Amino acid sequence: FQHLRTTVMSSFYDEVEIEDMEFDEENGLYHYPCPCGDRFEITLEELESGEDVASCPSCSLTLKVIYDPDD
């Protein structure tokens, strides 16, 4: 199990605190710049349902969002 967890963790491009992401109130989503030129996105709804992976619609990179679900 520990090996699997390490493999999953290494598949993220980076880990970012939610405070470092920009929030788009109009569309209800957080975004963060992606090295491909687009941006990682995760919706408020996804975060509220326990999701913590932001993806880039233009490439295969993913970002681990660090946040406290109780906030």
Side-chain angles (χ1 to χ4, degrees):
F1 179 77
Q2 184 61 34
H3 174 72
L4 178 62
R5 182 182 170 110
T6 303
T7 303
V8 171
M9 292 296 288
S10 65
S11 67
F12 295 115
Y13 166 71
D14 201 358
E15 294 186 0
V16 173
E17 298 275 344
I18 198 163
E19 293 84 10
D20 295 331
M21 299 181 78
E22 301 245 350
F23 184 63
D24 177 347
E25 288 188 46
E26 186 175 319
N27 295 309
L29 61 84
Y30 285 90
H31 57 89
Y32 189 81
C34 180
C36 80
D38 203 347
R39 62 187 187 183
F40 296 101
E41 298 179 344
I42 188 166
T43 65
L44 187 56
E45 187 176 287
E46 289 170 325
L47 288 165
E48 289 172 345
S49 71
E51 182 65 54
D52 65 354
V53 179
S55 57
C56 176
S58 297
C59 72
S60 62
L61 295 177
T62 57
L63 189 73
K64 171 90 170 169
V65 181
I66 308 301
Y67 71 104
D68 182 353
D70 296 330
D71 286 347

